[in-house]
Amino acid sequence: MATRTGPNRATEKTRPAREPRPAGKKRRTAVVAALAAALLAAGGVTAWQLTDRQDGPRPLTTEEASRLALSRFTLYGASPVRVALTAQEGDGMVVEVHGVVDYRTRHAAGGYRVSGPAGTLDEGLVVWDTGGLGLAKAPAGVAGPAWEQADHVPRSGWSSRAYGTDPLDSGLNLLVQLGADRPDNPLLLVQSGPRRLGRDTIDGRAYDRISGPRPREAADRDTADSPLTYWIDADGGLRRVTMRIAGLGTPTTLDLQGQQAGAKLPEAPWATAG
């Protein structure tokens, strides 16, 4: 590393029973409905916003705002989560991180690879939390995923530091803080100006592409762009986030790839953070 989403009756008799929806999906759907009802009761959106489905950027509907408000809570409930980060560092240098985040502890571990026009420049292990990150070389003779390898690195083997402002540090810092232990307030989200930008398919599943809240310091909140874009599915599941960095044309991409059952993050590195 650089040292820094009217049948007939006969048909009705032979139709197979519909499989029950998973309990988690039922719960997420119920939460979306409750958030939408609260938004309507508070008069947080206009009738146009409730019904308009035109192409192109537009304000969120009640249901879309509810799913956006639920997305961080859904991610938290899926912990630990497989994640991937791709950041452009300039001059053709790309940093990739593949790892696992536990949103209950806000600890994460994975492997990194830095590549440039000439190929791989550096690779190793990375651990990170809300305070900063630590880097280490993979231990010799230890197989398995990066989060397991990290548990075999002694405390003295980690080089820890606080976050900087480069794309990798900004991406890791955002990534570990995406999950939340409760839904966001949909009314406040609507007031901060997120917009539906379109719809995409990722790995065969449809996602609404939604720009994040507008910057508070923007002089014109109606035209200012958010640096964040979210890909959210019909159940409020968050699949991808991109973050634009000033001065770079390619945004940092954060992919949330589902639950990593059984992952246990190492304990040692956190004692040396800071």
Side-chain angles (χ1 to χ4, degrees):
M1 179 169 294
T3 55
R4 305 275 196 233
T5 215
N8 60 37
R9 189 172 300 275
T11 302
E12 290 180 340
K13 291 180 180 179
T14 58
R15 178 182 296 161
R18 179 179 296 175
E19 293 184 1
R21 300 179 73 185
K25 180 175 289 188
K26 287 182 179 179
R27 182 167 182 250
R28 289 195 298 271
T29 302
V31 175
V32 168
L35 290 172
L39 198 58
L40 276 170
V45 291
T46 66
W48 180 85
Q49 288 174 295
L50 290 175
T51 59
D52 183 83
R53 292 284 179 176
Q54 68 185 33
D55 292 333
R58 58 162 173 76
L60 299 185
T61 66
T62 301
E63 187 268 346
E64 289 162 354
S66 300
R67 286 192 282 119
L68 178 60
L70 179 64
S71 60
R72 297 178 64 214
F73 178 61
T74 300
L75 186 63
Y76 180 91
S79 290
V81 177
R82 296 190 311 276
V83 300
L85 176 152
T86 303
Q88 305 283 342
E89 294 279 357
D91 297 325
M93 189 167 65
V94 179
V95 184
E96 297 174 277
V97 174
H98 295 269
V100 173
V101 177
D102 186 337
Y103 286 104
R104 292 177 172 82
T105 62
R106 298 198 185 280
H107 287 172
Y112 73 86
R113 179 175 180 269
V114 183
S115 60
T120 300
L121 303 175
D122 190 19
E123 58 187 344
L125 302 177
V126 56
V127 294
W128 70 102
D129 59 13
T130 57
L133 60 93
L135 307 175
K137 292 298 181 183
V142 178
W147 51 268
E148 285 186 348
Q149 294 184 43
D151 202 29
H152 293 271
V153 178
R155 294 183 180 181
S156 60
W158 293 97
S159 175
S160 301
R161 60 177 172 81
Y163 288 119
T165 58
D166 62 80
L168 172 64
D169 287 26
S170 298
L172 291 177
N173 192 13
L174 174 62
L175 187 56
V176 78
Q177 300 193 64
L178 281 176
D181 61 0
R182 66 196 66 189
D184 290 314
N185 186 321
L187 273 176
L188 295 180
L189 285 177
V190 168
Q191 293 168 7
S192 63
R195 298 173 68 83
R196 182 184 183 274
L197 304 177
R199 174 163 289 197
D200 297 316
T201 300
I202 303 174
D203 295 334
R205 188 173 179 83
Y207 295 86
D208 286 312
R209 189 171 72 254
I210 297 174
S211 67
R214 312 293 179 86
R216 290 182 178 276
E217 64 275 13
D220 187 346
R221 293 283 292 278
D222 291 330
T223 59
D225 290 329
S226 169
L228 301 178
T229 302
Y230 302 86
W231 279 255
I232 298 173
D233 68 16
D235 298 314
L238 182 59
R239 177 61 175 81
R240 175 175 293 167
V241 180
T242 60
M243 176 174 58
R244 294 199 310 275
I245 304 293
L248 291 177
T250 303
T252 297
T253 300
L254 315 177
D255 277 312
L256 297 313
Q257 300 173 328
Q259 187 177 59
Q260 179 63 64
K264 185 178 184 299
L265 299 185
E267 295 293 335
W270 317 114
T272 61

